[in-house]
Structure formats: structure tokens, C-alpha cells
């Protein structure tokens, strides 16, 4: 997996590409920690280019959202589709993660 970071006024967008699983969740943690260090007003986690996301990946996204909210930063997952969307829906977190 790779992460592409886009910075805008008061916003950090992290776009995830590839597979988000146990082997790659550390990249999410690192990327989110670095993004939150800049104290943005909003953090967007773009998963539209993910081809797979297992339960550890979903947990990493939930942890990212919690870390952002603990710092007063709005956090939203955008673009889930295919197997990623189905995984989020099946685990009951789709609406929580994508709420803006």
C-alpha cells in the first residue's frame, strides 16, 4: 500500500492505494500521526483506490478517526467502493466512518 498526502487550507487528505491489511496498517498510523501533528481542521481519509481492506484495516481507520476527534479534528473516510465498501457495511462501520 502507499499513501499520497494532499494539504490544503485547514485540511489534510490522505489517499490510500492498494491493500489495507495487517501488513500495512502501520503506514496508516504513521500517516495519520504525521497529519495530525500539523493540527489541521479536517482530516480526509480517501479509500477510493483501495483494492482490499481487512478487519485490521477497518480498525486502523476507526483508530485514526478517534485520534483525530481526540484532537478536535473532524475526520471522514471518503470513496469506499467494491469489497472495501462491503467490508465496512458488513462490520457496521460504513455510516460512522463516512459521516462528515
Amino acid at each position: 500500500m502507499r499513501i499520497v498526502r494532499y494539504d490544503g487550507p485547514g485540511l489534510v487528505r490522505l489517499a490510500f492505494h492498494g491493500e489495507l491489511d495487517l501488513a500495512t496498517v502501520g503506514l496508516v498510523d504513521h500517516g495519520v500521526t504525521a497529519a495530525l501533528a500539523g493540527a489541521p481542521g479536517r482530516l480526509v481519509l480517501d479509500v477510493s483506490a483501495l483494492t482490499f481492506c481487512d478487519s485490521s484495516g477497518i480498525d486502523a481507520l476507526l483508530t485514526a478517526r478517534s485520534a483525530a476527534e481526540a484532537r478536535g479534528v473532524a475526520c471522514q473516510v471518503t470513496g469506499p467502493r467494491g469489497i472495501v465498501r462491503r467490508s465496512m457495511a458488513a462490520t457496521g462501520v460504513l455510516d460512522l466512518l463516512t459521516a462528515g
Side-chain angles (χ1 to χ4, degrees):
M1 185 184 73
R2 69 183 175 93
I3 301 174
V4 178
R5 180 177 168 156
Y6 304 93
D7 291 290
L11 168 76
V12 173
R13 179 175 160 255
L14 300 177
F16 304 110
H17 299 262
E19 296 184 356
L20 178 52
D21 56 22
L22 186 59
T24 59
V25 292
L27 295 172
V28 175
D29 296 337
H30 177 74
V32 168
T33 298
L36 293 176
R42 182 173 164 89
L43 176 63
V44 174
L45 307 176
D46 181 350
V47 299
S48 61
L50 282 182
T51 57
F52 178 77
C53 182
D54 71 3
S55 61
S56 61
I58 290 172
D59 185 58
L61 296 173
L62 290 167
T63 299
R65 181 178 175 88
S66 294
E69 289 178 346
R71 290 170 179 78
V73 176
C75 181
Q76 180 183 21
V77 173
T78 62
R81 56 193 180 124
I83 189 68
V84 175
R85 183 179 189 81
R86 288 190 301 273
S87 295
M88 290 180 182
T91 57
V93 299
L94 179 63
D95 292 339
L96 173 68
L97 288 173
T98 59

Coordinates of all heavy atoms in Angstrom, one line a residue:
M1 N 0.8 -1.2 0.0 CA 0.0 0.0 0.0 C 0.9 1.2 0.0 O 2.0 1.2 0.6 CB -0.9 0.0 1.2 CG -1.9 1.2 1.2 SD -2.9 1.4 2.6 CE -1.8 2.0 3.8
R2 N 0.4 2.3 -0.6 CA 1.1 3.6 -0.5 C 0.0 4.6 -0.1 O -1.2 4.5 -0.4 CB 1.8 3.9 -1.8 CG 1.0 4.2 -3.0 CD 1.8 4.5 -4.2 NE 1.0 4.6 -5.4 CZ 0.5 5.8 -5.8 NH1 0.9 6.9 -5.2 NH2 -0.3 5.9 -6.9
I3 N 0.5 5.7 0.4 CA -0.3 6.8 0.8 C 0.2 8.1 0.1 O 1.4 8.4 0.1 CB -0.3 7.1 2.3 CG1 -0.7 5.8 3.1 CG2 -1.1 8.3 2.7 CD1 -0.6 5.9 4.6
V4 N -0.7 8.8 -0.5 CA -0.4 10.1 -1.1 C -1.1 11.2 -0.2 O -2.3 11.1 0.1 CB -0.9 10.2 -2.5 CG1 -0.6 11.5 -3.1 CG2 -0.3 9.1 -3.4
R5 N -0.3 12.2 0.2 CA -0.8 13.2 1.1 C -1.0 14.5 0.3 O -0.2 14.9 -0.5 CB 0.2 13.5 2.2 CG -0.3 14.6 3.1 CD 0.7 14.7 4.3 NE 0.4 16.0 5.0 CZ 0.7 16.2 6.3 NH1 1.4 15.2 6.9 NH2 0.4 17.3 6.9
Y6 N -2.2 15.1 0.5 CA -2.5 16.4 -0.1 C -2.8 17.4 1.0 O -3.7 17.0 1.9 CB -3.7 16.3 -1.0 CG -3.6 15.3 -2.1 CD1 -4.0 14.0 -1.9 CD2 -3.0 15.6 -3.3 CE1 -3.9 13.0 -2.9 CE2 -2.9 14.6 -4.3 CZ -3.3 13.4 -4.1 OH -3.2 12.4 -5.1
D7 N -2.2 18.5 1.0 CA -2.5 19.5 2.0 C -3.2 20.7 1.4 O -2.9 21.2 0.3 CB -1.2 20.0 2.7 CG -0.6 19.0 3.5 OD1 -1.1 18.7 4.6 OD2 0.5 18.5 3.2
G8 N -4.2 21.2 2.1 CA -4.9 22.4 1.7 C -5.2 23.3 2.9 O -4.8 22.9 4.0
P9 N -5.8 24.4 2.7 CA -6.1 25.3 3.9 C -6.9 24.6 4.9 O -8.1 24.2 4.7 CB -6.8 26.4 3.3 CG -6.6 26.4 1.8 CD -6.3 24.9 1.5
G10 N -6.3 24.3 6.1 CA -7.0 23.6 7.2 C -7.4 22.2 6.9 O -8.2 21.6 7.7
L11 N -6.8 21.6 5.9 CA -7.2 20.2 5.5 C -6.0 19.4 5.1 O -5.1 19.9 4.5 CB -8.1 20.3 4.3 CG -8.4 19.0 3.5 CD1 -9.5 18.2 4.3 CD2 -9.0 19.3 2.1
V12 N -6.1 18.1 5.6 CA -5.1 17.1 5.1 C -5.9 16.0 4.5 O -6.8 15.5 5.2 CB -4.1 16.6 6.2 CG1 -3.3 15.5 5.7 CG2 -3.3 17.8 6.7
R13 N -5.6 15.6 3.3 CA -6.2 14.4 2.7 C -5.2 13.4 2.5 O -4.1 13.6 1.8 CB -6.8 14.8 1.4 CG -7.5 13.7 0.6 CD -8.2 14.2 -0.7 NE -8.4 13.1 -1.6 CZ -7.7 12.9 -2.7 NH1 -6.7 13.7 -3.0 NH2 -8.0 11.8 -3.4
L14 N -5.4 12.2 3.0 CA -4.5 11.0 2.8 C -5.3 10.1 1.9 O -6.4 9.6 2.2 CB -4.2 10.4 4.1 CG -3.5 11.2 5.2 CD1 -3.3 10.4 6.5 CD2 -2.2 11.7 4.7
A15 N -4.7 9.8 0.7 CA -5.3 8.9 -0.2 C -4.5 7.6 -0.2 O -3.3 7.5 -0.4 CB -5.2 9.5 -1.6
F16 N -5.2 6.5 0.1 CA -4.7 5.2 0.3 C -4.8 4.4 -1.0 O -5.9 4.4 -1.6 CB -5.3 4.4 1.4 CG -5.3 5.1 2.7 CD1 -6.4 5.7 3.3 CD2 -4.1 5.3 3.4 CE1 -6.4 6.3 4.5 CE2 -4.0 6.0 4.6 CZ -5.2 6.5 5.2
H17 N -3.7 3.7 -1.5 CA -3.7 3.0 -2.7 C -3.2 1.6 -2.4 O -2.2 1.4 -1.8 CB -2.8 3.6 -3.7 CG -3.1 5.0 -4.1 ND1 -3.8 5.3 -5.2 CD2 -2.9 6.2 -3.4 CE1 -4.0 6.6 -5.3 NE2 -3.5 7.2 -4.2
G18 N -4.0 0.6 -2.9 CA -3.5 -0.8 -2.8 C -4.4 -1.5 -1.7 O -5.6 -1.4 -1.7
E19 N -3.7 -2.4 -0.9 CA -4.4 -3.2 0.1 C -4.1 -2.7 1.5 O -2.9 -2.5 1.8 CB -3.9 -4.6 -0.1 CG -4.3 -5.3 -1.4 CD -4.0 -6.7 -1.5 OE1 -3.3 -7.3 -0.6 OE2 -4.3 -7.3 -2.5
L20 N -5.1 -2.6 2.3 CA -5.0 -2.2 3.7 C -5.3 -3.4 4.5 O -6.4 -3.9 4.6 CB -6.0 -1.0 4.0 CG -6.0 -0.5 5.5 CD1 -4.6 -0.2 6.0 CD2 -6.9 0.7 5.6
D21 N -4.2 -4.0 5.1 CA -4.4 -5.2 5.9 C -3.4 -5.1 7.0 O -2.7 -4.1 7.3 CB -4.2 -6.4 5.0 CG -2.9 -6.5 4.3 OD1 -1.9 -5.8 4.7 OD2 -2.9 -7.2 3.3
L22 N -3.2 -6.2 7.7 CA -2.3 -6.3 8.9 C -0.9 -5.9 8.5 O -0.2 -5.2 9.3 CB -2.3 -7.7 9.5 CG -1.6 -7.9 10.8 CD1 -2.1 -7.0 11.9 CD2 -1.6 -9.4 11.2
A23 N -0.5 -6.2 7.4 CA 0.9 -5.8 6.9 C 1.1 -4.4 6.7 O 2.2 -3.9 6.7 CB 1.3 -6.7 5.7
T24 N 0.0 -3.6 6.4 CA 0.2 -2.2 6.0 C -0.5 -1.2 7.0 O -0.4 0.0 6.8 CB -0.4 -2.0 4.6 OG1 -1.8 -2.4 4.6 CG2 0.3 -2.8 3.6
V25 N -1.1 -1.7 8.1 CA -1.8 -0.7 9.0 C -0.8 0.2 9.6 O -1.2 1.4 10.0 CB -2.7 -1.4 10.1 CG1 -3.8 -2.1 9.4 CG2 -1.8 -2.4 10.9
G26 N 0.4 -0.1 9.8 CA 1.4 0.8 10.3 C 1.6 2.0 9.5 O 1.8 3.1 10.0
L27 N 1.4 1.9 8.2 CA 1.5 3.1 7.3 C 0.4 4.1 7.6 O 0.6 5.3 7.5 CB 1.5 2.6 5.8 CG 2.6 1.8 5.4 CD1 2.4 1.3 4.0 CD2 3.9 2.6 5.4
V28 N -0.8 3.5 7.9 CA -1.9 4.4 8.2 C -1.7 5.1 9.5 O -1.8 6.3 9.6 CB -3.2 3.6 8.3 CG1 -4.4 4.5 8.8 CG2 -3.6 2.9 7.0
D29 N -1.2 4.4 10.5 CA -0.9 5.0 11.8 C 0.1 6.1 11.7 O 0.0 7.2 12.2 CB -0.4 4.0 12.8 CG -1.5 2.9 13.2 OD1 -2.7 3.2 13.0 OD2 -1.1 1.8 13.6
H30 N 1.2 5.8 10.9 CA 2.2 6.8 10.7 C 1.7 8.0 9.9 O 2.0 9.2 10.3 CB 3.4 6.2 9.9 CG 4.5 7.1 9.6 ND1 5.4 7.6 10.6 CD2 4.9 7.7 8.5 CE1 6.2 8.4 10.0 NE2 5.9 8.5 8.8
G31 N 1.0 7.8 8.9 CA 0.4 8.9 8.1 C -0.5 9.8 8.8 O -0.5 11.0 8.7
V32 N -1.4 9.2 9.6 CA -2.4 9.9 10.4 C -1.7 10.7 11.5 O -2.0 11.9 11.7 CB -3.5 9.0 11.0 CG1 -4.3 9.7 12.0 CG2 -4.3 8.5 9.9
T33 N -0.7 10.1 12.2 CA 0.1 10.8 13.2 C 0.8 12.0 12.7 O 0.7 13.1 13.2 CB 1.1 9.9 13.9 OG1 0.4 8.8 14.5 CG2 1.9 10.6 14.9
A34 N 1.4 11.9 11.5 CA 2.1 13.0 10.9 C 1.1 14.1 10.4 O 1.4 15.3 10.6 CB 2.9 12.5 9.6
A35 N -0.1 13.7 9.9 CA -1.1 14.6 9.5 C -1.6 15.4 10.7 O -1.8 16.7 10.6 CB -2.2 13.9 8.8
L36 N -1.9 14.7 11.8 CA -2.4 15.4 13.0 C -1.4 16.3 13.7 O -1.8 17.2 14.4 CB -3.0 14.4 13.9 CG -4.2 13.6 13.4 CD1 -4.6 12.5 14.4 CD2 -5.4 14.5 13.1
A37 N -0.2 16.1 13.5 CA 0.9 16.9 14.1 C 0.8 18.3 13.6 O 1.2 19.3 14.3 CB 2.3 16.3 13.8
G38 N 0.3 18.5 12.4 CA 0.1 19.9 11.8 C -1.2 20.6 12.3 O -1.5 21.7 11.9
A39 N -2.0 19.9 13.1 CA -3.2 20.4 13.6 C -4.2 21.0 12.6 O -4.6 22.1 12.6 CB -2.9 21.5 14.7
P40 N -4.5 20.1 11.6 CA -5.5 20.6 10.6 C -6.9 20.7 11.2 O -7.1 20.1 12.2 CB -5.4 19.5 9.5 CG -5.1 18.3 10.3 CD -4.2 18.7 11.4
G41 N -7.8 21.4 10.5 CA -9.1 21.4 11.0 C -9.9 20.2 10.6 O -10.9 19.8 11.2
R42 N -9.4 19.6 9.5 CA -10.2 18.4 8.9 C -9.2 17.4 8.3 O -8.2 17.8 7.7 CB -11.1 18.9 7.8 CG -12.0 17.9 7.2 CD -13.0 18.6 6.2 NE -13.6 17.7 5.3 CZ -14.7 17.0 5.5 NH1 -15.3 17.2 6.7 NH2 -15.2 16.2 4.6
L43 N -9.5 16.2 8.5 CA -8.7 15.1 8.0 C -9.6 14.2 7.2 O -10.6 13.7 7.6 CB -8.0 14.2 9.1 CG -7.2 13.0 8.7 CD1 -6.0 13.4 7.9 CD2 -6.8 12.2 10.0
V44 N -9.2 14.0 5.9 CA -10.0 13.2 5.0 C -9.1 12.0 4.6 O -8.0 12.1 4.2 CB -10.4 13.9 3.7 CG1 -11.0 13.0 2.7 CG2 -11.3 15.1 4.0
L45 N -9.7 10.8 4.8 CA -9.0 9.5 4.5 C -9.7 9.0 3.3 O -10.8 8.4 3.3 CB -9.1 8.6 5.7 CG -8.7 9.1 7.0 CD1 -8.9 8.1 8.1 CD2 -7.2 9.5 7.0
D46 N -9.1 9.1 2.1 CA -9.6 8.7 0.8 C -9.3 7.3 0.6 O -8.1 7.0 0.3 CB -9.1 9.7 -0.3 CG -9.7 9.3 -1.6 OD1 -10.3 8.3 -1.8 OD2 -9.4 10.2 -2.5
V47 N -10.3 6.4 0.6 CA -10.0 5.0 0.4 C -10.5 4.5 -1.0 O -10.6 3.3 -1.3 CB -10.7 4.1 1.5 CG1 -10.1 4.5 2.8 CG2 -12.2 4.3 1.5
S48 N -10.8 5.5 -1.9 CA -11.3 5.1 -3.2 C -10.4 4.2 -4.1 O -10.8 3.5 -5.0 CB -11.7 6.4 -4.0 OG -10.6 7.2 -4.2
A49 N -9.1 4.3 -3.8 CA -8.1 3.5 -4.6 C -7.7 2.2 -3.8 O -6.7 1.5 -4.3 CB -6.9 4.3 -5.0
L50 N -8.3 1.9 -2.7 CA -8.0 0.6 -2.0 C -8.7 -0.5 -2.8 O -9.9 -0.4 -3.2 CB -8.6 0.6 -0.6 CG -7.8 1.4 0.5 CD1 -8.4 1.2 1.8 CD2 -6.3 0.9 0.5
T51 N -8.0 -1.6 -2.9 CA -8.5 -2.8 -3.6 C -8.9 -3.8 -2.6 O -9.6 -4.8 -2.9 CB -7.5 -3.4 -4.5 OG1 -6.3 -3.7 -3.8 CG2 -7.2 -2.4 -5.7
F52 N -8.5 -3.6 -1.3 CA -8.8 -4.6 -0.2 C -8.7 -3.9 1.1 O -7.8 -3.1 1.3 CB -7.9 -5.8 -0.3 CG -8.1 -6.8 0.8 CD1 -9.2 -7.7 0.7 CD2 -7.3 -6.9 1.9 CE1 -9.4 -8.7 1.7 CE2 -7.5 -7.9 2.9 CZ -8.5 -8.7 2.8
C53 N -9.5 -4.3 2.1 CA -9.4 -3.8 3.4 C -9.9 -4.9 4.4 O -11.1 -5.2 4.3 CB -10.2 -2.5 3.6 SG -10.0 -1.8 5.2
D54 N -9.0 -5.4 5.2 CA -9.5 -6.4 6.2 C -9.8 -5.8 7.5 O -9.9 -4.6 7.6 CB -8.4 -7.5 6.3 CG -7.2 -7.1 7.1 OD1 -7.1 -6.0 7.6 OD2 -6.2 -7.9 7.2
S55 N -10.2 -6.6 8.5 CA -10.6 -6.1 9.8 C -9.5 -5.2 10.5 O -9.9 -4.3 11.2 CB -11.1 -7.2 10.7 OG -10.0 -8.1 10.9
S56 N -8.3 -5.6 10.3 CA -7.2 -4.7 10.9 C -7.2 -3.4 10.2 O -6.9 -2.4 10.8 CB -5.9 -5.4 10.9 OG -5.5 -5.7 9.5
G57 N -7.5 -3.3 8.9 CA -7.5 -2.0 8.2 C -8.7 -1.2 8.7 O -8.6 0.0 8.9
I58 N -9.8 -1.8 8.9 CA -11.0 -1.1 9.4 C -10.7 -0.6 10.8 O -11.0 0.6 11.1 CB -12.2 -2.0 9.4 CG1 -12.7 -2.3 7.9 CG2 -13.4 -1.4 10.2 CD1 -13.8 -3.3 7.7
D59 N -10.1 -1.4 11.6 CA -9.7 -0.9 12.9 C -8.7 0.2 12.9 O -8.9 1.2 13.6 CB -9.0 -2.1 13.7 CG -8.7 -1.7 15.2 OD1 -9.7 -1.3 15.9 OD2 -7.6 -1.8 15.6
A60 N -7.8 0.2 11.9 CA -6.9 1.4 11.8 C -7.6 2.6 11.4 O -7.3 3.7 11.9 CB -5.8 1.0 10.7
L61 N -8.6 2.5 10.5 CA -9.5 3.7 10.2 C -10.3 4.2 11.3 O -10.4 5.4 11.6 CB -10.4 3.3 9.0 CG -9.7 3.0 7.7 CD1 -10.7 2.5 6.6 CD2 -8.9 4.2 7.1
L62 N -10.8 3.3 12.1 CA -11.5 3.7 13.4 C -10.6 4.4 14.4 O -11.0 5.4 15.0 CB -12.2 2.5 14.0 CG -13.4 1.9 13.2 CD1 -13.8 0.5 13.8 CD2 -14.6 2.9 13.3
T63 N -9.4 3.8 14.5 CA -8.4 4.4 15.4 C -8.0 5.8 14.9 O -7.8 6.7 15.7 CB -7.2 3.5 15.5 OG1 -7.6 2.2 16.1 CG2 -6.1 4.1 16.4
A64 N -7.8 6.0 13.6 CA -7.5 7.3 13.0 C -8.6 8.3 13.3 O -8.3 9.4 13.7 CB -7.3 7.1 11.5
R65 N -9.8 7.9 13.2 CA -11.0 8.8 13.5 C -11.0 9.2 14.9 O -11.1 10.3 15.3 CB -12.3 8.1 13.1 CG -13.5 9.0 13.3 CD -14.8 8.2 12.8 NE -15.9 9.0 13.2 CZ -16.5 9.9 12.4 NH1 -15.9 10.2 11.2 NH2 -17.6 10.6 12.7
S66 N -10.7 8.2 15.8 CA -10.7 8.5 17.2 C -9.6 9.4 17.6 O -9.8 10.4 18.4 CB -10.6 7.2 18.1 OG -11.7 6.4 17.9
A67 N -8.4 9.2 17.0 CA -7.3 10.1 17.3 C -7.5 11.5 16.8 O -7.2 12.5 17.5 CB -6.0 9.5 16.6
A68 N -8.1 11.6 15.7 CA -8.5 12.9 15.1 C -9.5 13.7 16.0 O -9.3 14.8 16.4 CB -9.0 12.8 13.7
E69 N -10.5 12.9 16.4 CA -11.6 13.6 17.2 C -11.0 13.9 18.6 O -11.4 15.0 19.2 CB -12.8 12.6 17.4 CG -13.5 12.5 16.1 CD -14.7 11.5 16.1 OE1 -14.8 10.7 17.1 OE2 -15.5 11.6 15.2
A70 N -10.1 13.2 19.1 CA -9.5 13.5 20.4 C -8.7 14.8 20.4 O -8.5 15.5 21.4 CB -8.6 12.4 20.9
R71 N -8.3 15.2 19.2 CA -7.6 16.4 19.0 C -8.5 17.6 18.4 O -8.0 18.6 18.0 CB -6.4 16.2 18.0 CG -5.3 15.4 18.7 CD -4.3 14.9 17.6 NE -3.2 14.1 18.2 CZ -3.3 12.9 18.5 NH1 -4.4 12.2 18.4 NH2 -2.2 12.2 19.0
G72 N -9.7 17.3 18.4 CA -10.7 18.3 17.9 C -10.7 18.4 16.3 O -11.0 19.5 15.8
V73 N -10.2 17.4 15.6 CA -10.1 17.5 14.2 C -11.2 16.6 13.6 O -11.4 15.4 14.0 CB -8.7 16.9 13.7 CG1 -8.6 16.9 12.2 CG2 -7.6 17.8 14.3
A74 N -12.0 17.2 12.7 CA -13.0 16.4 12.0 C -12.3 15.4 11.1 O -11.4 15.7 10.4 CB -13.9 17.4 11.2
C75 N -12.9 14.2 11.1 CA -12.3 13.1 10.2 C -13.4 12.4 9.5 O -14.4 12.1 10.1 CB -11.5 12.1 11.1 SG -10.7 10.8 10.2
Q76 N -13.1 12.1 8.2 CA -14.1 11.5 7.4 C -13.4 10.5 6.4 O -12.4 10.9 5.8 CB -14.9 12.5 6.6 CG -16.0 11.8 5.7 CD -16.7 12.9 4.9 OE1 -16.3 14.0 4.7 NE2 -17.9 12.5 4.4
V77 N -13.9 9.3 6.2 CA -13.4 8.4 5.2 C -14.3 8.6 4.0 O -15.5 8.7 4.1 CB -13.6 6.9 5.7 CG1 -13.2 6.0 4.6 CG2 -12.6 6.7 6.9
T78 N -13.6 8.8 2.8 CA -14.4 9.0 1.6 C -14.0 8.0 0.5 O -13.0 7.4 0.6 CB -14.1 10.4 1.0 OG1 -12.7 10.5 0.7 CG2 -14.4 11.5 1.9
G79 N -15.0 7.7 -0.3 CA -14.8 6.9 -1.5 C -14.7 5.4 -1.4 O -14.2 4.7 -2.3
P80 N -15.3 4.8 -0.3 CA -15.3 3.3 -0.2 C -16.1 2.8 -1.3 O -17.2 3.2 -1.6 CB -15.8 3.0 1.1 CG -16.7 4.2 1.5 CD -16.1 5.4 0.8
R81 N -15.6 1.7 -2.0 CA -16.3 1.1 -3.1 C -15.9 -0.4 -3.1 O -14.9 -0.8 -2.5 CB -16.1 1.8 -4.4 CG -14.7 1.9 -4.8 CD -14.5 2.9 -6.0 NE -13.1 2.9 -6.3 CZ -12.6 2.6 -7.4 NH1 -13.4 2.4 -8.5 NH2 -11.3 2.7 -7.6
G82 N -16.7 -1.2 -3.8 CA -16.4 -2.6 -4.0 C -16.2 -3.3 -2.7 O -17.1 -3.1 -1.8
I83 N -15.2 -4.2 -2.6 CA -15.0 -5.0 -1.4 C -14.8 -4.2 -0.2 O -15.2 -4.6 0.9 CB -13.9 -6.0 -1.7 CG1 -13.9 -7.1 -0.5 CG2 -12.6 -5.4 -1.8 CD1 -15.0 -8.0 -0.5
V84 N -14.2 -3.0 -0.3 CA -13.9 -2.2 0.8 C -15.2 -1.7 1.4 O -15.5 -1.7 2.6 CB -13.0 -1.0 0.4 CG1 -12.8 0.0 1.6 CG2 -11.6 -1.5 0.0
R85 N -16.1 -1.2 0.5 CA -17.4 -0.7 1.0 C -18.2 -1.9 1.6 O -18.8 -1.7 2.7 CB -18.2 -0.1 -0.2 CG -19.5 0.5 0.2 CD -20.3 1.1 -1.0 NE -21.4 1.8 -0.5 CZ -21.4 3.0 0.0 NH1 -20.3 3.7 0.1 NH2 -22.6 3.6 0.3
R86 N -18.2 -3.0 1.0 CA -18.9 -4.2 1.5 C -18.4 -4.6 2.9 O -19.1 -5.0 3.8 CB -18.9 -5.3 0.5 CG -19.8 -5.1 -0.7 CD -20.0 -6.3 -1.5 NE -18.7 -6.9 -2.1 CZ -18.1 -6.5 -3.2 NH1 -18.6 -5.5 -3.9 NH2 -17.0 -7.1 -3.6
S87 N -17.1 -4.5 3.1 CA -16.5 -4.9 4.3 C -16.9 -3.9 5.4 O -17.2 -4.3 6.6 CB -14.9 -4.9 4.2 OG -14.5 -5.9 3.4
M88 N -16.9 -2.6 5.1 CA -17.3 -1.6 6.1 C -18.8 -1.8 6.4 O -19.2 -1.7 7.6 CB -17.0 -0.2 5.6 CG -15.6 0.1 5.5 SD -15.4 1.8 4.9 CE -13.6 1.9 4.9
A89 N -19.6 -2.1 5.4 CA -21.0 -2.2 5.7 C -21.3 -3.5 6.5 O -22.1 -3.5 7.4 CB -21.8 -2.3 4.3
A90 N -20.6 -4.6 6.2 CA -20.8 -5.8 6.9 C -20.4 -5.7 8.4 O -21.0 -6.4 9.2 CB -20.0 -7.0 6.2
T91 N -19.4 -4.9 8.7 CA -19.0 -4.7 10.1 C -19.7 -3.6 10.8 O -19.5 -3.4 12.0 CB -17.5 -4.5 10.1 OG1 -17.1 -3.3 9.3 CG2 -16.7 -5.6 9.6
G92 N -20.6 -2.9 10.1 CA -21.5 -1.9 10.7 C -20.8 -0.6 10.9 O -21.3 0.2 11.7
V93 N -19.7 -0.3 10.2 CA -19.0 1.0 10.5 C -19.0 1.9 9.3 O -18.5 3.0 9.3 CB -17.5 0.7 10.9 CG1 -17.4 0.0 12.2 CG2 -16.7 0.1 9.8
L94 N -19.7 1.5 8.2 CA -19.7 2.4 7.0 C -20.3 3.8 7.3 O -19.6 4.8 7.0 CB -20.5 1.7 5.9 CG -20.7 2.5 4.6 CD1 -19.3 2.7 3.9 CD2 -21.6 1.8 3.6
D95 N -21.4 3.9 7.9 CA -22.0 5.2 8.2 C -21.2 6.0 9.2 O -21.0 7.2 9.0 CB -23.4 5.0 8.7 CG -24.4 4.5 7.6 OD1 -24.1 4.6 6.4 OD2 -25.5 4.0 8.0
L96 N -20.6 5.3 10.2 CA -19.8 6.0 11.1 C -18.6 6.6 10.5 O -18.2 7.8 10.7 CB -19.4 5.1 12.3 CG -18.3 5.6 13.2 CD1 -18.9 6.7 14.1 CD2 -17.8 4.5 14.1
L97 N -17.9 5.8 9.7 CA -16.6 6.3 9.1 C -16.9 7.3 8.0 O -16.0 8.2 7.8 CB -15.8 5.1 8.5 CG -15.2 4.2 9.5 CD1 -14.6 3.0 8.8 CD2 -14.1 5.0 10.3
T98 N -18.0 7.2 7.2 CA -18.2 8.2 6.1 C -19.0 9.4 6.5 O -19.1 10.3 5.7 CB -18.8 7.4 4.9 OG1 -20.1 6.9 5.4 CG2 -17.9 6.3 4.4
A99 N -19.5 9.5 7.7 CA -20.2 10.7 8.2 C -19.3 11.9 8.2 O -18.1 11.8 8.6 CB -20.8 10.4 9.6
G100 N -19.8 12.9 7.7 CA -18.9 14.1 7.6 C -19.3 15.2 8.5 O -18.9 16.1 8.8

